[in-house]
Amino acid sequence: MKKNFATVFLIFIPSLLIAQSILPPIQDWHGKSESLLVKYNNPWITPTEKLDFITTPNYDETMSWLKKLDDASPLISMISIGKSPEGRDIFMVIASTEKTVSASALKKSTKPLLLVQAGIHSGEIDGKDAGMMLLRDIAFGNKKQLIDNVNFLFIPLLNVDGHERSSSFNRPNQRGPENMGWRTNAQNLNLNRDFTKLDSKEIRSVIKVINDYDPLLFMDIHVTDGADYQYDITFGGLGGQGYSKSNSNWLATTYKNFADKELITNGHIPGQLLFAVNDRDFSQGNYSFWGEPRFSDSYGDLRHTASILVENHSLKPFKQRVLGTYVLLESTLKVLVKEGNSLKKSTVSDRSIRDSKLPMKWKIPQVKPDSLSLLAIESKLVKSTVTNTEYVQWLGKPLTMKIANYKKTEPVDFVNRPKGYYVPASYYEVIERLQLHGIQMEKLKESKEVTVEMYRIQDAKFQNDSGKPFPFEGRMQVSGTPIPEIRKQVFPKGSIYISTDQPLGDLAIILLEPKSPDSFLSWGFFNQTFQRTEYIEAYVMEPTMTKMLSESPELQKEFDQKKAADAVFANDPNAIYSWFYSKTKYYDERYLLYPVGRLN
């Protein structure tokens, strides 16, 4: 046995050294959490432990190991929650002492329910391996008590197709494992940009789990990119930000204090999420931001489900990161035993609030930033001989820095809360996705004329997140200025009405308001709005314009003023034709009209 292990170890070492020899110096680490490792002859040793954290098991090996655990333990159940684009099952493991572990039974249970998702970016796979170890210890170790009073849902590998696009060269800034999966799925979609638009089968599967089981706490486990620092386990979703203030405060105090203590006791260094302002080092400070609900934790917050984003530090050894993740998972189960009822109260409070105005975005307040005592790693700027510019070089020496901590916490671009929205039956794809989110709606059995507020979208720009006219996540995003107008509008049979007086009312607002960066309009589901379908010929327009001007001195004055103010317009016959055409009854009155109606 030992001889075989050594042989395998030597096979993987060369490529590991090649792929990671250019990374910054590593800090030596030993922690109490190393006691979580089982001996090599343990029948339930995980494949990753068996190979001393050099590699992580592939999809078939992972699911085979979990299936054996399921077969051997009454505490463990394994179900498929959906299929990937390439046809692989996306499995979820249920750890529970309940007699019945159906979705309806666990949703009704008085026990807190934890949902943990790993491998959404399949190269960032720490959560899968940590979860396998923890499930093993719950089933056959001494940790059954962790689920005596908590139910645990674990998705070990969400991006199953990307996981099989494995290579030692997939993530050059990450220290192990030797075989890392690909960031995006088989359709080249980043799954952690899909929680609102729901283009992927994988995220649709997760949303169905959230709807069916209604977890009290949702955790998404990642590994960072970026700068070097001392922290090995960082996590966010904290600090009174977002749309669920009560849950956010619970996470920032009750949860963080408990988890930090457990991690420190076990030899780890927990910290907040870190993003260098200059995208290089921390000389200009740290940037804490609240992302759009396309991201998992922000989406959970918008649903008023307490949500945690975990970002393990990519430059720490794989073993250290996995063990730290194990401790974080275990501490999360423990804190739900002690404080699950207080989180339930916070959740009920957040879900009952119906704010009269809702922000579409967040910005950094124009005030002096907070300061942060950063457990940093020393660095220096080095002149590149290739680009002739400076780049940061990390030196591997710990130091403490006091830096500015900018927080993107000020809500902006408020929208008044309407009573509800009407969505025309013709936009069935949008209606389907609203249903997938679990939003309650009423389907019109007959056509209905309603006085509603609707938006005319002006100055539309088609661009991606960086402001360039290129696709983003498989879609061409659009932004514009929504100009409200009151109209009597007929919504045909099959259209839907969505009341905002429901737990997911805030989510409905974010998805249907054009100002929202994550609205269906922004993601390109209403691009037909910007298409003209009827035109008028010059030989018809010329006598029409002459007649219009002769009959209206006011129009003549308006035309003269526009020509004087806009030289481009004055010298563009087509622009002039279009301007006059827009003032006739022939013009399409629905051009640029966003077809969703607001009932105020």
Side-chain angles (χ1 to χ4, degrees), residues 237-519:
L238 318 171
Q241 305 176 66
Y243 297 96
S244 301
K245 297 295 192 298
S246 186
N247 279 349
S248 186
N249 285 325
W250 185 92
L251 291 169
T253 54
T254 302
Y255 179 82
K256 187 176 188 304
N257 291 339
F258 190 94
D260 280 357
K261 183 178 178 181
E262 292 277 304
L263 285 163
I264 292 168
T265 299
N266 281 276
H268 297 275
I269 306 178
Q272 70 171 63
L273 295 178
L274 295 166
F275 303 93
V277 168
N278 60 13
D279 203 26
R280 184 169 69 178
D281 56 25
F282 293 98
S283 59
Q284 296 177 24
N286 180 61
Y287 174 47
S288 298
F289 66 92
W290 189 249
E292 292 86 3
R294 67 190 65 170
F295 302 104
S296 62
D297 56 325
S298 300
Y299 176 78
D301 171 81
L302 182 58
R303 291 183 63 108
H304 310 301
T305 296
S307 301
I308 300 169
L309 172 64
V310 179
E311 289 280 5
N312 297 334
H313 188 217
S314 61
L315 295 177
K316 299 299 184 288
F318 183 46
K319 179 190 288 186
Q320 179 180 350
R321 302 195 319 259
V322 171
L323 293 177
T325 306
Y326 181 117
V327 173
L328 185 64
L329 290 173
E330 183 177 6
S331 68
T332 303
L333 291 169
K334 287 179 179 178
V335 76
L336 286 178
V337 172
K338 295 182 64 176
E339 297 290 347
N341 285 335
S342 64
L343 180 55
K344 285 181 181 179
K345 290 178 182 178
S346 294
T347 301
V348 169
S349 173
D350 283 332
R351 290 182 179 180
S352 67
I353 295 171
R354 307 286 186 263
D355 286 328
S356 61
K357 293 184 177 182
L358 209 66
M360 300 295 102
K361 298 178 184 177
W362 308 81
K363 72 172 186 177
I364 297 173
Q366 300 303 309
V367 295
K368 185 178 179 181
D370 294 342
S371 64
L372 172 67
S373 181
L374 178 73
L375 298 182
I377 294 294
E378 187 177 341
S379 65
K380 67 178 180 179
L381 294 178
V382 179
K383 188 70 171 291
S384 169
T385 59
V386 179
T387 67
N388 203 36
T389 59
E390 290 184 327
Y391 68 96
V392 66
Q393 184 180 90
W394 301 101
L395 304 178
K397 298 178 181 178
L399 78 157
T400 300
M401 299 168 56
K402 188 173 183 179
I403 63 171
N405 192 25
Y406 297 91
K407 296 181 179 180
K408 190 177 180 181
T409 56
E410 182 179 331
V412 294
D413 282 357
F414 283 87
V415 169
N416 290 328
R417 185 186 207 91
K419 291 180 182 178
Y421 294 93
Y422 285 94
V423 181
S426 54
Y427 287 88
Y428 50 85
E429 188 177 10
V430 169
I431 294 173
E432 177 197 11
R433 295 184 193 222
L434 290 165
Q435 290 172 326
L436 289 171
H437 280 292
I439 293 170
Q440 299 167 22
M441 60 185 67
E442 172 193 346
K443 190 174 184 178
L444 300 189
K445 296 179 180 179
E446 300 293 340
S447 294
K448 186 175 183 179
E449 184 178 66
V450 193
T451 299
V452 291
E453 182 182 55
M454 300 181 75
Y455 295 115
R456 193 80 60 174
I457 310 298
Q458 303 292 345
D459 304 320
K461 295 181 176 62
F462 292 84
Q463 58 196 23
N464 60 22
D465 258 12
S466 64
K468 298 177 181 178
F470 295 110
F472 175 66
E473 292 304 314
R475 291 190 169 271
M476 183 65 77
Q477 289 188 289
V478 61
S479 63
T481 303
I483 307 298
E485 55 185 70
I486 304 299
R487 298 171 55 93
K488 279 189 176 182
Q489 190 75 17
V490 175
F491 291 93
K493 177 183 176 180
S495 300
I496 62 162
Y497 174 70
I498 296 173
S499 169
T500 62
D501 186 13
Q502 60 170 297
L504 297 182
D506 290 354
L507 175 59
I509 294 171
I510 292 297
L511 293 174
L512 294 174
E513 284 292 337
K515 275 189 178 181
S516 164
D518 262 334
S519 69

Side-chain angles (χ1 to χ4, degrees), residues 24-281:
I26 190 171
Q27 292 81 54
D28 187 47
W29 177 85
H30 293 285
K32 183 181 175 182
S33 62
E34 290 177 296
S35 64
L36 298 169
L37 302 171
V38 297
K39 293 182 179 179
Y40 185 69
N41 61 359
N42 187 301
W44 288 104
I45 189 171
T46 66
T48 296
E49 289 174 291
K50 196 170 185 178
L51 293 179
D52 197 29
F53 294 82
I54 299 300
T55 63
T56 187
N58 66 22
Y59 173 84
D60 288 338
E61 293 167 337
T62 299
M63 300 313 159
S64 176
W65 189 94
L66 288 169
K67 183 65 169 63
K68 289 178 182 177
L69 191 68
D70 175 8
D71 292 340
S73 171
L75 301 175
I76 305 298
S77 302
M78 187 174 173
I79 63 171
S80 174
I81 60 171
K83 294 275 190 180
S84 74
E86 292 185 342
R88 295 181 177 88
D89 278 297
I90 303 168
F91 285 106
M92 182 172 76
V93 180
I94 304 170
S96 174
T97 59
E98 303 275 10
K99 291 182 180 179
T100 304
V101 294
S102 65
S104 59
L106 293 185
K107 191 173 185 177
K108 293 176 184 176
S109 174
T110 58
K111 297 179 183 179
L113 180 63
L114 171 65
L115 170 62
V116 174
Q117 165 186 288
I120 188 171
H121 296 152
S122 60
E124 306 167 21
I125 206 60
D126 305 4
K128 180 194 76 174
D129 292 289
M132 291 170 72
M133 292 173 61
L134 179 59
L135 290 169
R136 180 263 320 282
D137 293 342
I138 289 172
F140 296 113
N142 58 353
K143 298 193 175 178
K144 172 186 170 293
Q145 73 277 7
L146 289 173
I147 59 166
D148 283 341
N149 297 293
V150 179
N151 294 313
F152 180 26
L153 307 179
F154 179 62
I155 302 172
L157 182 52
L158 181 59
N159 183 7
V160 291
D161 296 339
H163 188 273
E164 297 311 279
R165 186 180 168 183
S166 179
S167 170
S168 58
F169 301 101
N170 278 351
R171 286 178 61 80
N173 57 318
Q174 182 174 304
R175 191 167 262 121
E178 195 274 345
N179 55 328
M180 289 179 262
W182 193 250
R183 183 177 183 85
T184 51
N185 76 348
Q187 299 166 295
N188 203 32
L189 293 175
N190 187 331
L191 299 181
N192 201 29
R193 308 292 186 273
D194 194 43
F195 277 84
T196 44
K197 59 185 176 70
L198 297 183
D199 279 337
S200 66
K201 289 184 174 182
E202 296 91 337
I203 299 303
R204 290 185 177 202
S205 299
V206 173
I207 300 303
K208 189 173 190 306
V209 168
I210 293 174
N211 285 329
D212 290 349
Y213 290 84
D214 191 21
L216 183 63
L217 183 60
F218 173 42
M219 177 183 286
D220 185 15
I221 302 175
H222 294 248
V223 180
T224 67
D225 302 310
D228 201 1
Y229 42 74
Q230 296 176 49
Y231 310 102
D232 54 357
I233 309 294
T234 67
F235 49 92
L238 318 171
Q241 305 176 66
Y243 297 96
S244 301
K245 297 295 192 298
S246 186
N247 279 349
S248 186
N249 285 325
W250 185 92
L251 291 169
T253 54
T254 302
Y255 179 82
K256 187 176 188 304
N257 291 339
F258 190 94
D260 280 357
K261 183 178 178 181
E262 292 277 304
L263 285 163
I264 292 168
T265 299
N266 281 276
H268 297 275
I269 306 178
Q272 70 171 63
L273 295 178
L274 295 166
F275 303 93
V277 168
N278 60 13
D279 203 26
R280 184 169 69 178
D281 56 25

